[in-house]
Amino acid sequence: MRFVVYGAGAVGGAIGARLFQQGHDVTLIARGAHYEAVRDRGLRLDTPEESVTLPVPVVDRPSAVTFRPGDVVLLTMKTQDTLPALAELAAVAPPDIVVASAQNGVENERLALRLFSRVYGVCVLLPSAFLEPGVVAAYLAPQMGGLDVGRYPEGVDETAESLAAAFAGATFASEARPDVMRYKYGKLLTNLGNAVEVVIGPGEQGADIARLAREEGRACLRAAGIDAPSGVGIASQVRPVRGRKRSGGSSFQSLQRGTGTIEADYLNGEIILLGREHGVPTPVNELLRRLANRMAREGRQPGLMTPEEFLTELDGAAPR
């Protein structure tokens, strides 16, 4: 089994590095300066327990990979980048290749299943960061994170069991779950706070706003008949890496790097979609989504307003 990690940033880089470190055949697909740094110097993985530079093979596009039977493509890019990434992959990879979505949200698997017949969901619990070209950090120890996996839309088969075993052997908590999408919906509730870190800033100052967003989320999931577990997590603790604390989640990091895009349409936007389908109001998630997208477009840094300013704008927002 070779792992082709497509989108080797914070999450993909950390997963790929650890799999490679444990003896698995891994190829990374990265781009730009990150691709050049990994190609020239290797991929540096920083954790609370070590800092190691690994000579992981890397290419800059799917067409540079000669796909072969037994390959597993791990999708690890942000959801807003999934559709063009899948189109590139479908142009060169066989339609029965294994595609596993190690991404936030619940839309990626549906997009992949349009093009590939063997799709798997991976519920990712992996606080990590893409610090600079060629360097990623993972902040959990002793287990690096959680990577539960199952067939999409449901079920467990030999491939799911093999993936879970590979992840578990690479210091991730991992189970093969027939209902893995339930857990991804549970993780989605947690990720509703990503936009809060962007709009309000990281830390406890946005806790009440995040609580309101998750209350809307739980109401929408109930209305849709989705029985998502709450409190999805693992026993490992977030710890500093090389003296640095983790500054914020994936959306926070997108704004810091000035990528111009953000995942809010597929995190808070998923709750808005369910709310519109089932008649559940979602004003908090709608305002978070609109503000986060505006900040990404305008190249702003995290921390647009205080919680009080957000609530004032929420009160004055026209129904949508």
Side-chain angles (χ1 to χ4, degrees), residues 33-298:
H34 188 44
Y35 157 71
E36 294 170 358
V38 177
R39 178 196 63 192
D40 296 342
R41 301 189 298 274
L43 177 64
R44 193 180 91 198
L45 172 67
D46 292 342
T47 76
E49 299 172 334
E50 65 177 347
S51 180
V52 59
T53 299
L54 303 165
V56 190
V58 63
V59 298
D60 63 349
R61 60 196 185 281
S63 61
V65 179
T66 301
F67 290 97
R68 56 192 191 227
D71 281 349
V72 173
V73 178
L74 287 181
L75 301 179
T76 53
M77 70 287 296
K78 300 290 195 301
T79 305
Q80 65 267 27
D81 300 320
T82 295
L83 199 57
L86 284 171
E88 283 192 56
L89 182 65
V92 295
D96 61 347
I97 198 169
V98 172
V99 175
S101 168
Q103 300 161 282
N104 287 333
V106 294
E107 181 64 16
N108 300 285
E109 289 83 359
R110 293 183 70 248
L111 295 174
L113 198 61
R114 297 174 188 271
L115 301 176
F116 297 95
S117 60
R118 302 172 66 196
V119 175
Y120 295 76
V122 183
C123 185
V124 178
L125 301 169
L126 179 51
S128 55
F130 174 26
L131 300 174
E132 61 185 78
V135 182
V136 296
Y139 293 85
L140 284 182
Q143 289 179 308
M144 182 177 280
L147 297 174
D148 287 347
V149 58
R151 186 92 186 229
Y152 181 80
E154 60 184 5
V156 165
D157 57 14
E158 184 177 348
T159 297
E161 296 282 5
S162 295
L163 289 173
F167 295 147
T171 72
F172 294 96
S174 184
E175 294 184 33
R177 296 187 181 275
D179 56 349
V180 71
M181 296 308 294
R182 285 185 60 239
Y183 288 83
K184 294 199 75 165
Y185 274 104
K187 175 70 186 316
L188 173 66
L189 292 175
T190 299
N191 288 136
L192 298 179
N194 287 22
V196 179
E197 287 189 334
V198 166
V199 175
I200 308 299
E204 291 301 312
Q205 58 184 334
D208 287 341
I209 307 300
R211 177 181 54 78
L212 293 173
R214 289 169 185 143
E215 286 177 358
E216 288 182 358
R218 282 189 285 270
C220 289
L221 294 186
R222 284 194 301 270
I226 299 170
D227 179 24
S230 59
V232 175
I234 61 174
S236 291
Q237 294 183 338
V238 175
R239 291 162 49 185
V241 170
R242 293 168 70 98
R244 299 184 304 264
K245 293 183 178 179
R246 185 172 183 250
S247 57
S250 58
S251 298
F252 182 93
Q253 293 174 43
S254 291
L255 249 67
Q256 282 191 317
R257 294 200 308 273
T259 62
T261 63
I262 203 166
E263 283 184 289
D265 285 346
Y266 299 98
L267 300 177
N268 308 85
E270 182 69 30
I271 296 304
I272 295 163
L273 174 62
L274 289 174
R276 289 172 178 170
E277 289 177 339
H278 298 280
V280 179
T282 57
V284 174
N285 281 283
E286 173 61 25
L287 183 55
L288 286 170
R289 185 194 67 82
R290 288 194 290 107
L291 292 174
N293 279 329
R294 189 184 87 197
M295 293 174 70
R297 287 194 306 270
E298 295 176 355

